[in-house]
Amino acid sequence: MNTDVEFHIRQNYPWTKLPANVKQSLGNSQREYEKHVLLYSIRNQLRFRNNLVRHVRKDERKYYEELLKYSRDHLMLYPYHLSDIMVKGLRVTPFSYYIGIMEDIMNSEKSYDSLPNFTAADCLRLLGIGRNQYIDLMNQCRSSKKFFRRKSARDLLPAKPVEISVEPWWVAQTGYITEDDIRICSPAEKKAIDKMIDSGPQLAGSMEYNVVLSLYNRGFIYLDVPISDDSCISVPPLEGFVMNRVQGDYFETLLYKIFVSIDEQTNVAELANVLEIDLDLVKNAVSMYCRLGFAVKKGQVFSSDQLHPTWKNAPSVNRLKSTMDPQKMLLSWEQGSPVMEGGSSATDTDTTSLEDQADTASVSSLSIPAAPTKRIAFLFDSTLTAFLMMGNLSPNLKSHAVTMFEVGKLSDETLDSFLAELEKVESTAEGEAQRYFDHALTLKNTILFLRYNKELTQDQGPDIPNIGFPLDMLRCESLLGLDQATCSRVLNKNYKLLVSMAPLSNEIRPISSCTPQHIGPAIPEVSSIWFKLYLYHVTSQGPPSLLLSKGSRLRKLPDIFQVYDRLLITSWGHDPGVVPTSNVLTMLNDALTHSAVLIQGHGMHGHGETVHIPFPFDEEDLKGEFSYSNMCAHKSLRKLREHVDLEHQCGYITMLNANNRHRRRASDSTECRGDTHLGGGLDTNGSTESFELVTEENNGESKAKTDALSSEDEWVPLELCFGMPLFSSELNRKVCRKIASHKLCSSESLQELLHSSRKLSLKVLSFVQSFQDGSQPSDLDSGVSNPLSQPPAESGVPLPALNLLYKDGQLREWSGRAPPPLDISALQKDQPT
């Protein structure tokens, strides 16, 4: 449906008041507009009254029946905001609605995964049917078909709801009750019904607990979850969430948008204003979170003198637990764990006893004087959540990982329990699992470093107590679900500084932000293949590299790569991997049918050797001579510092030695030399793996000999990543130390970062544009065929229109001949910043 048409329907524009261009897009047909009105209203579960649909469809009951059928057919959540109509008018309770959905998918023999995430979670809450129970029911249903006494799906499904959690502040309202229903009620139930009929809706907590449950299970009452304009909620680690699939209907999209935007300090009215979404829609979404147990309403929601005595032992919806009091936390990131005031570390704290003491503890409820309102945001991608889920790292870590993925956010208030789980992760594992353990432990150190670190906020001023900043963790993909203007408003409202993990997956678009300042990629192009070529272009150093546009086809491997035993292959929008040269041609041509591809020389004798160098660099290291243990003195990095601001950013530069005849010693780790790696990448099947540590000890080889073997000309820059690395604990510690020692979080440094990020963005965009213009057709006799026409990249990073070759310090267009006939790299080198 046209977005202009949707806008005018949402604003209740009748046909007569529609602008001419909108009428024209509908073929000047009023009937066509009325069809769109009806479809939009049903899809968005709009109330009949006070909406445009009442002028299109005269029969209110029929409209709601159509709405219910559409919702059920599309497996949408029950329209709780229309409960008064659904329960009282149509006598369709949430239980009967989900029984109908479950019956439909069982009769169609669909898998459990066909249920969208939130619908599956509500089915689990009301029916008690999760993945295992559904599989068991389907097996029973199929086996009954083999015998004469066949059972229908309906016969196997439960007859009444399971016992649900009800909060005392929820409101009980009468449903569709007949005289026959009253006869089977107990005296206490009759009394409760009479009170609701005479006095109106009642707070659930003012009624007897068992009466509320009994009446609800029979469908005689329904429960409203009231949310007011000034309501604030907190989102604890998700329990009972079902990870199936995302459907993309209006309400599910809204739920995910609000998940990543909400925080404990922002009330519902403010949130609706920031997101520029209708207040009633936001209230409906927040109400759904509380109903499903995914959020907890903050503040005094029910006075104890109103509470019926039977509620004292009632089970409660998922409550936020906190295992450490942030007021008592003294940061000690050097030791790797927060230290409590009593001298005991988090590792020897009894978390179960603390949970009871700090049941409702949160940062916002503490009386920290003049606490900072803004926070630091640590940006991560889905790769990290996958590692935390896959590794079976600690018993309760998975619920946090699910929250990070589905909510897209871990707020500072829940980080204490998250840290307590990370403390339980062991430091060693076998094989591939070691990567998961390493990421978990390095993540813990990163959180401890960024959160409430006084070293990062020493310029707060004399009137503000220096306690550091709280930390939220945000998933990039969830932020990208917001439109750019909304994302900017959310970030500016809540955060002082953004810090990205490094490297971010090439499969996502990094967050671009001028304010708040961002320690990470300034724009998406800076974390793309283009930035690698820019790096080689300004330093005149780098491995032989060939960027082929989508649709190209290689007849043979170019001569410059024939001397290599291993190549580094990067498909556009995917992470790089090292593959053997022997069988690379077929794989490349397959990849080129759907993607642009960068080919780079990696190792002449097996895998090339890579070293990660953290920055910003220390002055004393820059003054020294180049050696294997002092890589930051390399001539290419001296040149790079003239074009890229490495003083007010943090990250690492990967140096490559393709002529790797000598195995380096892993113990020669210094401040300017990162982890040594000799392997890595991507196998021929395309599975991504990070560089593996396969260094060997060379006993008896002195450090002087090692340095002597390291010729400066053997090493070239491979890539530059901005942000905080999580794949290496040693590299992460060095970057943390440099952030503190170089005062990167000070106001002065962040101001410089703002200017340098803008300059770098303009330079890189100009560089990319210079290689997009003047595209010429390839020679038919060359070793490469004509590329397909290039559509704009979905991510916004332009795809290459030319085939580009970097060799011998020059970046040129490549037509498949040697030497390349055209040099379009004559643009002037960037002036020093």
Side-chain angles (χ1 to χ4, degrees):
M1 193 182 293
N2 189 313
T3 52
D4 286 338
V5 175
E6 280 194 5
F7 171 80
H8 288 93
I9 294 172
R10 198 161 50 243
Q11 301 299 322
N12 285 332
Y13 275 65
W15 172 256
T16 53
K17 292 188 178 178
L18 280 184
N21 64 320
V22 177
K23 285 185 177 180
Q24 193 172 359
S25 70
L26 294 164
N28 290 313
S29 167
Q30 183 174 351
R31 179 168 289 184
E32 191 65 26
Y33 182 58
E34 289 177 353
K35 281 183 187 175
H36 280 77
V37 170
L38 181 62
L39 182 60
Y40 179 85
S41 303
I42 287 174
R43 278 181 179 171
N44 291 273
Q45 298 177 327
L46 297 184
R47 192 174 284 275
F48 186 82
R49 293 176 189 175
N50 303 323
N51 278 300
L52 196 58
V53 71
R54 73 187 186 279
H55 301 299
V56 174
R57 180 58 54 89
K58 301 304 180 188
D59 189 335
E60 184 175 353
R61 183 182 182 87
K62 191 175 179 184
Y63 165 73
Y64 283 121
E65 286 172 349
E66 286 183 42
L67 185 153
L68 205 58
K69 184 179 184 305
Y70 180 91
S71 300
R72 178 171 156 173
D73 291 345
H74 289 80
L75 310 178
M76 293 169 69
L77 278 164
Y78 180 82
Y80 285 101
H81 60 289
L82 302 175
S83 289
D84 56 330
I85 306 291
M86 296 300 161
V87 180
K88 286 183 179 177
L90 302 181
R91 209 173 187 185
V92 177
T93 64
F95 174 76
S96 61
Y97 174 79
Y98 288 125
I99 284 289
I101 282 182
M102 203 60 75
E103 188 178 355
D104 290 345
I105 66 170
M106 286 179 70
N107 288 335
S108 305
E109 296 201 356
K110 291 182 180 176
S111 73
Y112 184 74
D113 291 330
S114 62
L115 282 175
N117 294 342
F118 286 101
T119 305
D122 210 13
C123 283
L124 178 62
R125 181 182 73 97
L126 289 172
L127 312 183
I129 298 175
R131 189 180 306 277
N132 293 340
Q133 291 83 359
Y134 181 80
I135 292 169
D136 187 42
L137 286 171
M138 285 302 297
N139 289 338
Q140 290 180 48
C141 195
R142 290 187 185 114
S143 63
S144 70
K145 292 178 183 178
K146 298 176 184 177
F147 303 99
F148 293 108
R149 290 184 301 171
R150 180 178 177 180
K151 285 186 177 180
S152 68
R154 184 67 189 88
D155 295 333
L156 296 169
L157 291 167
K160 63 177 185 177
V162 296
E163 185 172 323
I164 64 166
S165 295
V166 179
E167 289 287 341
W169 54 275
W170 293 5
V171 175
Q173 306 227 36
T174 53
Y176 187 96
I177 305 174
T178 63
E179 289 184 11
D180 292 336
D181 294 333
I182 294 291
R183 289 193 192 101
I184 60 172
C185 290
S186 67
E189 290 168 349
K190 286 179 184 175
K191 185 180 176 183
I193 290 171
D194 288 342
K195 189 174 183 182
M196 280 185 279
I197 291 171
D198 295 339
S199 308
Q202 300 291 311
L203 286 168
S206 66
M207 301 160 65
E208 193 177 329
Y209 178 73
N210 290 328
V211 168
V212 173
L213 283 186
S214 174
L215 291 174
Y216 180 82
N217 287 345
R218 293 186 200 172
F220 296 166
I221 64 169
Y222 63 91
L223 295 166
D224 272 340
V225 180
I227 300 294
S228 59
D229 289 8
D230 59 352
S231 295
C232 292
I233 66 164
S234 61
V235 180
L238 293 183
E239 297 289 345
F241 193 89
V242 182
M243 295 179 71
N244 276 359
R245 70 181 181 93
V246 176
Q247 176 164 274
D249 65 69
Y250 90 100
F251 198 52
E252 182 187 69
T253 304
L254 178 67
L255 287 168
Y256 278 115
K257 278 185 179 179
I258 294 175
F259 249 161
V260 76
S261 310
I262 205 157
D263 62 80
E264 296 192 17
Q265 288 74 41
T266 305
N267 64 37
V268 171
E270 289 173 345
L271 182 65
N273 187 42
V274 169
L275 295 177
E276 294 184 353
I277 294 174
D278 182 67
L279 179 58
D280 287 334
L281 280 176
V282 176
K283 286 181 179 178
N284 291 343
V286 171
S287 176
M288 180 62 75
Y289 295 144
C290 295
R291 189 184 294 273
L292 295 175
F294 298 157
V296 181
K297 195 173 179 183
K298 291 193 67 188
Q300 185 68 30
V301 291
F302 201 89
S303 59
S304 55
D305 56 336
Q306 288 180 289
L307 195 66
H308 196 279
T310 54
W311 281 80
K312 287 188 179 162
N313 297 320
S316 176
V317 175
N318 182 5
R319 289 190 183 281
L320 176 62
K321 299 283 185 181
S322 181
T323 53
M324 293 180 206
D325 185 344
Q327 223 172 6
K328 295 178 181 177
M329 282 180 65
L330 298 174
L331 191 81
S332 180
W333 63 273
E334 290 276 4
Q335 283 97 18
S337 69
V339 179
M340 310 299 282
E341 275 188 350
S344 61
S345 71
T347 50
D348 48 46
T349 304
D350 182 3
T351 55
T352 52
S353 61
L354 276 172
E355 280 181 3
D356 297 330
Q357 297 165 16
D359 189 18
T360 56
S362 66
V363 171
S364 60
S365 64
L366 297 174
S367 56
I368 298 174
T373 53
K374 293 201 173 183
R375 305 180 172 202
I376 295 174
F378 181 70
L379 306 178
F380 62 92
D381 61 30
S382 297
T383 311
L384 180 62
T385 59
F387 287 166
L388 296 179
M389 286 183 202
M390 290 162 64
N392 196 22
L393 305 176
S394 83
N396 299 316
L397 193 58
K398 189 170 182 181
S399 67
H400 291 282
V402 170
T403 307
M404 290 166 69
F405 184 82
E406 293 293 348
V407 177
K409 178 177 184 176
L410 270 189
S411 64
D412 185 81
E413 290 79 8
T414 58
L415 285 186
D416 292 328
S417 58
F418 184 51
L419 285 169
E421 290 304 320
L422 290 175
E423 284 283 352
K424 299 173 188 175
V425 177
E426 298 175 8
S427 57
T428 56
E430 294 181 0
E432 180 67 12
Q434 184 63 51
R435 289 178 67 210
Y436 311 146
F437 283 69
D438 289 345
H439 275 77
L441 294 169
T442 311
L443 176 62
K444 180 191 72 176
N445 293 334
T446 303
I447 293 171
L448 292 173
F449 171 72
L450 292 173
R451 188 177 184 230
Y452 293 110
N453 188 345
K454 298 176 184 178
E455 287 187 65
L456 303 183
T457 54
Q458 291 176 348
D459 60 345
Q460 282 293 308
D463 300 331
I464 304 173
N466 182 17
I467 60 167
F469 284 105
L471 177 73
D472 284 356
M473 296 179 63
L474 302 177
R475 188 171 75 105
C476 288
E477 294 92 329
S478 297
L479 286 173
L480 294 172
L482 305 171
D483 63 77
Q484 201 163 351
T486 304
C487 181
S488 179
R489 287 194 300 273
V490 169
L491 293 176
N492 275 292
K493 179 184 180 300
N494 296 322
Y495 302 106
K496 177 182 173 61
L497 174 66
L498 310 180
V499 182
S500 285
M501 67 174 268
L504 286 167
S505 169
N506 286 340
E507 297 182 17
I508 67 160
R509 178 185 173 92
I511 302 300
S512 302
S513 175
C514 288
T515 54
Q517 281 94 326
H518 181 198
I519 295 180
I523 52 174
E525 283 78 2
V526 171
S527 67
S528 72
I529 287 172
W530 286 115
F531 193 62
K532 272 190 172 184
L533 297 180
Y534 176 77
L535 185 69
Y536 309 151
H537 173 68
V538 297
T539 60
S540 300
Q541 291 214 332
S545 304
L546 175 62
L547 177 58
L548 294 171
S549 55
K550 176 183 171 183
S552 302
R553 189 163 185 83
L554 288 175
R555 297 173 189 170
K556 66 172 187 173
L557 194 66
D559 293 340
I560 54 167
F561 299 121
Q562 297 288 354
V563 295
Y564 285 90
D565 185 45
R566 294 284 190 277
L567 298 176
L568 185 67
I569 307 296
T570 311
S571 292
W572 198 269
H574 293 83
D575 294 330
V578 178
V579 297
T581 309
S582 53
N583 58 352
V584 76
L585 195 60
T586 306
M587 190 192 85
L588 284 173
N589 282 326
D590 285 345
L592 284 165
T593 60
H594 55 78
S595 171
V597 175
L598 177 68
I599 311 166
Q600 295 180 284
H602 193 269
M604 295 183 180
H605 313 283
H607 288 285
E609 181 179 8
T610 56
V611 171
H612 303 301
I613 308 169
F615 64 84
F617 302 136
D618 295 329
E619 283 299 323
E620 55 270 23
D621 293 321
L622 293 170
K623 290 174 185 174
E625 292 295 320
F626 170 83
S627 67
Y628 185 70
S629 56
N630 191 28
M631 281 277 183
C632 55
H634 193 280
K635 57 188 177 185
S636 65
L637 301 190
R638 292 178 188 273
K639 205 168 184 180
L640 179 64
R641 291 176 67 239
E642 298 172 8
H643 299 279
V644 179
D645 178 14
L646 302 181
E647 293 177 28
H648 304 102
Q649 270 271 25
C650 75
Y652 64 92
I653 299 163
T654 304
M655 300 294 288
L656 171 70
N657 181 359
N659 190 22
N660 177 43
R661 297 177 184 276
H662 312 286
R663 296 287 178 123
R664 309 300 182 198
R665 289 175 53 187
S667 57
D668 292 337
S669 179
T670 68
E671 193 58 23
C672 228
R673 222 207 80 215
D675 297 340
T676 308
H677 297 291
L678 299 173
L682 187 80
D683 62 23
T684 51
N685 296 323
S687 63
T688 48
E689 294 185 359
S690 67
F691 291 109
E692 298 169 6
L693 187 66
V694 290
T695 51
E696 294 178 357
E697 290 285 347
N698 288 326
N699 295 324
E701 182 184 33
S702 67
K703 184 171 182 295
K705 186 179 177 184
T706 303
D707 288 347
L709 291 169
S710 298
S711 163
E712 189 170 7
D713 294 332
E714 285 183 347
W715 294 90
V716 291
L718 178 64
E719 68 175 338
L720 186 157
C721 289
F722 294 109
M724 294 189 71
L726 296 184
F727 60 88
S728 164
S729 181
E730 180 64 24
L731 185 62
N732 178 270
R733 272 196 293 271
K734 290 176 184 176
V735 171
C736 288
R737 202 174 298 128
K738 286 173 180 288
I739 289 173
S741 62
H742 289 258
K743 296 183 171 58
L744 293 194
C745 297
S746 67
S747 300
E748 185 182 344
S749 178
L750 291 177
Q751 196 60 33
E752 290 292 333
L753 172 64
L754 179 63
H755 297 310
S756 63
S757 292
R758 283 175 173 165
K759 283 182 184 175
L760 179 64
S761 300
L762 291 171
K763 287 178 183 178
V764 174
L765 290 171
S766 173
F767 168 80
V768 172
Q769 187 59 42
S770 70
F771 287 99
Q772 294 294 87
D773 297 336
S775 175
Q776 297 182 6
S778 303
D779 192 318
L780 293 173
D781 297 328
S782 65
V784 61
S785 59
N786 287 322
L788 300 173
S789 59
Q790 301 295 326
E794 288 182 1
S795 66
V797 177
L799 289 163
L802 307 171
N803 297 319
L804 301 173
L805 175 70
Y806 176 81
K807 180 187 175 188
D808 300 330
Q810 287 189 313
L811 185 62
R812 311 164 181 265
E813 182 188 354
W814 186 72
S815 64
R817 296 174 180 272
L822 177 66
D823 182 0
I824 62 167
S825 176
L827 72 138
Q828 294 182 349
K829 304 283 187 186
D830 297 319
Q831 296 301 316
T833 54

